[in-house]
Amino acid sequence: MAFKPIANTRSATGVSTGKLALYWLLCSEIVIFGGVLAGYLMHRLAHPEWAYQSMHTNTLAGGINTFVLLTSSLFAVLAHDAAEMKDGKKAAQWLLATVAGGGVFLCIKAVEWSNEIAHGYTITSSVFWSFYYTAAGVHASHVIGGCIVMLFIAKDAWQGKELHRVEFIGLYWHFVDIVWIFLFPLLYIAK
Amino acid sequence: MSENTAHHESHEYHSHAKQYVRIWGILLTLLIVSILGPMLEIPILTLITAFGIALVKASLVVKYFMHLDHEPKFIWYILSVSLAFMCLFFFAVAPDVKNHTGTNWTNIAAIAEIERGEAYGDPAAHHGDHGGEHGGEHGTPEEHGTENHGGAHEGGH
């Protein structure tokens, strides 16, 4: 192995380079999700009839998914805790539990969307439903991406390698959780 | 410039698992309140319980799960600048999407959409099985002229 990553060994800012890169990613995510949420909010204020359309979203499914994501965030921070204790195997197990949480979230979302589409509420039905599917869809794609990366990190962590990455993927996961925390009241509660 | 790897490696780490579980419990309690609060159908209470609690939940995750308060100020700067520019762009530049009339213009499509949506969106008058014809905000004003029976002509968009 001729190449050693410098992600945790060099810094010009007081933050390790890998973590800094992760935070820059989160900065771009703030603009992406912030834009969707701000756009939604302004349209929602201008369109009182959205109240009728949002009545058809499934609050129970949204609530359960919020519970699942909050719980998976707990697993992610417990993985970080284990990594700090240099317990790679335990960290990997918590990461796998986090991935399982992401999987449950996606399954519930799939059932929810199938039901809505079966009732005719599709992405082209109205601007409300366009926002609904776009915001939740972009978020779900982040969940999928996070799960895939987490599996790679869990594999390394199991072997006790690159444990600092456990924290990085956890930070990303918490951000995805925070986005959902705001999407939930906007799409499911404000009716 | 470069001597900072994980600074916490230098001192011994103690598990915070119990604290994390406690925070998770608080988050779940807040989640339940945020679902039950709006059921009372008091607008101000909905606003506080749904969005106020979302802010509290997000700040708990930021503080206790992401440990952002232990990061150097540089991280705060880049995150808050992103947030500030995003807010500036949308809330300062784009809020005209909320206006449907101006001095020399009227957004006919948006107004027609509201009228159509309110006329046929009332679930009491119109129940769920109409499928895809729901909504359809994007029609031209002409398209909206004949609707009232639920905009069923609308699907072709």
Side-chain angles (χ1 to χ4, degrees), chain A residues 40 44 51 54-55 57-60 62-63 66 128 181-191, chain B residues 30-39 41 45-51 57:
Chain A
Y40 176 89
R44 178 71 180 81
S54 66
M55 275 181 184
T57 59
N58 188 336
T59 310
L60 179 66
T66 311
F128 169 78
I181 285 173
F182 287 108
L183 279 179
F184 175 60
L186 280 176
L187 299 178
Y188 295 89
I189 301 273
K191 295 184 173 181
Chain B
L30 290 172
L31 169 64
I32 292 166
V33 175
S34 72
I35 293 174
L36 295 181
M39 285 181 179
E41 296 188 353
L45 198 65
T46 299
L47 210 63
I48 293 169
T49 51
F51 298 103
K57 279 195 289 186

Side-chain angles (χ1 to χ4, degrees), chain A residues 56-62 64-65 102-121 129 132-133 136 140 180 188:
Chain A
H56 300 285
T57 59
N58 188 336
T59 310
L60 179 66
I64 294 173
N65 259 348
V104 171
F105 176 89
L106 292 169
C107 287
I108 293 172
K109 193 124 281 282
V111 172
E112 186 191 353
W113 279 22
S114 303
N115 198 31
E116 276 151 6
I117 291 168
H119 281 83
Y121 305 118
W129 288 102
Y132 172 81
Y133 284 108
W180 184 258
Y188 295 89

Side-chain angles (χ1 to χ4, degrees), chain A residues 41-69:
Chain A
L41 207 59
M42 286 191 291
H43 278 85
R44 178 71 180 81
L45 292 172
H47 285 273
E49 83 280 9
W50 284 23
Y52 298 126
Q53 295 165 13
S54 66
M55 275 181 184
H56 300 285
T57 59
N58 188 336
T59 310
L60 179 66
I64 294 173
N65 259 348
T66 311
F67 164 74
V68 170
L69 265 199

Side-chain angles (χ1 to χ4, degrees), chain A residues 131-149:
Chain A
F131 265 110
Y132 172 81
Y133 284 108
T134 304
V138 173
H139 178 267
S141 68
H142 280 72
V143 171
I144 295 169
C147 285
I148 293 170
V149 174

Side-chain angles (χ1 to χ4, degrees), chain A residues 8 11 14-15 19-20 23 27 34-35 42 46 49 52 55 71 74 81 84 119-120 124-127 174 178 181 189, chain B residues 1-2 4-5 8 13 15-16 24 38 54 68 71 75 78 82 86 90 100 114 121 123 131-132 134-138:
Chain A
N8 209 32
S11 166
V15 189
K19 191 188 276 188
L20 184 61
Y23 274 116
C27 286
M42 286 191 291
E49 83 280 9
Y52 298 126
M55 275 181 184
T71 307
L74 171 71
D81 196 58
E84 292 284 1
H119 281 83
T124 55
S125 294
S126 73
V127 177
H174 299 316
I178 289 172
I181 285 173
I189 301 273
Chain B
M1 126 180 195
S2 63
N4 103 58
T5 50
H8 34 265
Y13 181 83
S15 174
H16 297 107
W24 174 73
L68 214 59
E71 299 293 359
I75 296 297
I78 59 172
S82 295
M86 188 279 296
F90 281 93
H100 295 159
I114 292 173
H134 230 74
E137 76 309 326
H138 30 251

